[in-house]
Amino acid sequence: MLWKNTKHFLICQSIITGRMMNIFADFRARIEKSIRELMKQGVIADGADLSRISVEPPREESHGDMATNAAMVLGKFSELQPHDLAGKIADLLSEDEEIASIDIAGPGFINLSLAPSVWQGQVAHVLRAAKAYGNSDIGADKKVNVEYVSANPTGPMHVGHARGAVVGDALARLLERANYQVTREYYINDAGSQIDTLARSALIRMREALGEDIGDIPEGLYPGDYLIVVGQALATEYGAALLEKPEAEQVAVAKSKALPMMMEMIRDDLDALGVRHDVFLSEQSLHDSGAVDKSLNRLNEMGLIYEGVLEPPKGKTPPPDWEPSPQTLFKSSEFGDDSDRALKKSDGSWTYFAPDIACHLDKFERGYEQMIDVWGADHAGYIKRMKSAVTAVTAEAGNLDVKICQMVKLMRDGEPVKMSKRAGQFITLREVVDEVGKDVVRFMMLTRKNDAPLEFDFVKVQEQSRDNPVFYVQYAHARIFSVIRNASKIFGSIRDEDLANADMTLIVDPAEIALLKTISAFPRVLESAAVNHEPHRIAFYLQDLASTFHSLWNLGKERPDLKFIIDDKKNVTMARISMIRCCAFAIASGLDIMGVRPEEEMR
RNA sequence: GGUCCUGUAGCUCAACUGGAUAGAGCAGCUGACUUCUAAUCAGCAGGUUGGGGGUUCGAGUCCUCCCGGGAUCACCA
């Protein structure tokens, strides 16, 4: 009983929030209806595969609003030639009043031009959905785990981490908007030798805090100033007595102090970017709980683990100290990897790979069949083994997608930013956010697809010009609010509720309809971005939408009859305000996915 | 040498994963400001998609071989 109500609620909500308003999906359904009719008539064979049918905006504007390859794809299920089959489909579709004209082109494309009423009608949907405009149901409430950042807790985050953080967070937001149940996860590498190094580095700083002259930080330890406070904390809490204890105990104590402090610092940095995780999974906990043993046992039962000796790496530069030694290996080569991979080092301790497998099995057992990891480009070489392991350990029920973030090149007015050569001195994430603001960082990190390198210019990203996509999109949004403010001065306050009553049949000019069309494309963009795990598509779309808007705004200079505000025509003004309000909602909705706050004023 | 990214207008990048005549911005010319903020816009020009071969109705996109750029390559994470 309860679930029925819940489901009913979800359906209502999906209508309220604008889900299922994807106009392309709508017309695809109409096309499929015609095809089923032709199946009944025996023109198309029963059981024809409809999955390869696409309904999309044609590249060429003169080809209409929508194009489908249906007749071409279904050619082999019919005795008719694709071109003739297209004619049959077109005949049925022509009964649809919302289709203004149908054209059959090339080898059998069916091009549809939609009636203005279709585009005018979109306004009501967008206004109702408001900032939820574009939401989709393709996720069907399925669980997805997105793991991102996962920086080693040995120091502050640098710019490279920022990209992964933004991409992961935007991807999570995007999937939520497509009705996936998303968990944001951070895997803490708190068990490796680098944590011992962290502890030793903190102990040096503790001596320093106790007044000892430590000189230069020894080679191999972390020299960064950020450890000074950790040393002070250790000194305050434990005093010199700690240094009398056996070394192993000192390290253990330092570790227990330094680790939480590092994680707190990282969380603060992420917070400055507006990035938060739901789950912090500790590698050490996977060892302690026996999860590592468990996942390895599982692979062992499958016969995928053996003791063996790996070939030296192929090529002309084998490591100088390479020597063959038997190790515990996973047969990842059976799952598409180039070689089998070591689970244990030659001394019998675990490699990092083993707990990584446990980590993903843990996610799977928590209900995430779909997992997405966002990694830096330097980890690209591990994709195959990790995917292999996930496939194996979940008996092919789990799926892992790995998004690789290429490097960020920091520039200042066209010149590369020089990094200090002193070890430990990077440009930190915090410095970048402090200088340009989180919204700018977030937007810029999404202006390139994740696997392409990205240039980030401190000067350009703060310019108020066409060159700067952040400004350009924000300005479009602010400009709309400016117009609404001006209109309010003439016609009295304008509330969103009032706009729903506007007479949209007054929107007829092709330039105006063009804006409505671009706005209407958003749900489709959102879906394709979600399906492909590519949040950057939202950024590109917003630039396109902003451009269409600015273009229409300027058209009002040449043709005053197309200005948004016509002093003596309230009906026309209200219709146009409704139209641009929808544009603002689409921008706000897209920016929300990127985690960027829309501006209502640009002073 | 292996693997993975990558190569598209002078420059920076798109192209909805196989669709029609490959699109934007910058830079370069030409034009529009007592503004619904010109912080913007319109127009012109710019191409053998690194190269060759293949798959099919159709290829920037898929397969293959070359050429160039980047990342990575037992026992570090």
Side-chain angles (χ1 to χ4, degrees), chain A residues 323-397:
Chain A
E323 52 187 51
S325 54
Q327 290 174 289
T328 305
L329 303 173
F330 164 58
K331 292 186 185 174
S332 52
S333 61
E334 286 191 8
F335 299 88
D337 199 358
D338 314 303
S339 150
D340 292 341
R341 302 293 176 180
L343 296 166
K344 284 186 179 179
K345 305 174 197 169
S346 37
D347 67 3
S349 62
W350 296 114
T351 64
Y352 65 89
F353 186 37
D356 267 350
I357 296 173
C359 162
H360 287 85
L361 177 60
D362 185 68
K363 290 179 192 169
F364 179 73
E365 291 188 331
R366 270 150 47 207
Y368 303 101
E369 288 177 9
Q370 178 66 58
M371 300 167 246
I372 305 173
D373 288 0
V374 180
W375 294 351
D378 52 339
H379 288 67
Y382 300 97
I383 296 178
K384 282 187 181 180
R385 80 186 63 172
M386 203 61 247
K387 291 182 81 155
S388 301
V390 168
T391 303
V393 82
T394 66
E396 297 187 12

Side-chain angles (χ1 to χ4, degrees), chain A residues 145-154 157 161 164-165 184-190 194 263 266 270 275 277 279-281 283 356 359-360 363 372-376 379:
Chain A
N145 184 293
V146 186
E147 182 196 314
Y148 56 105
V149 187
S150 298
N152 285 340
T154 55
M157 308 226 303
H161 294 123
R184 297 157 164 83
E185 191 140 338
Y186 187 121
Y187 179 63
I188 310 172
N189 289 116
D190 55 358
Q194 85 282 1
M263 282 312 295
I266 288 172
L270 288 173
V275 172
H277 292 79
V279 175
F280 288 82
L281 181 63
E283 178 189 351
D356 267 350
C359 162
H360 287 85
K363 290 179 192 169
I372 305 173
D373 288 0
V374 180
W375 294 351
H379 288 67

Side-chain angles (χ1 to χ4, degrees), chain A residues 289-305 328 330 343-344 350 354 357-358 361 392-393:
Chain A
S289 69
V292 177
D293 294 303
K294 182 176 123 188
S295 57
L296 272 290
N297 285 340
R298 177 172 296 205
L299 291 174
N300 200 23
E301 284 162 15
M302 295 171 171
L304 297 173
I305 289 181
T328 305
F330 164 58
L343 296 166
K344 284 186 179 179
W350 296 114
I357 296 173
L361 177 60
V393 82

Side-chain angles (χ1 to χ4, degrees), chain A residues 159-164 405-411 419 445 452-457:
Chain A
V159 248
H161 294 123
R163 189 171 184 184
C405 290
Q406 281 291 343
M407 313 211 2
V408 177
K409 255 189 268 176
L410 282 182
M411 313 284 279
M419 305 273 186
M445 290 297 173
L454 173 96
E455 273 189 21
F456 186 99
D457 193 309

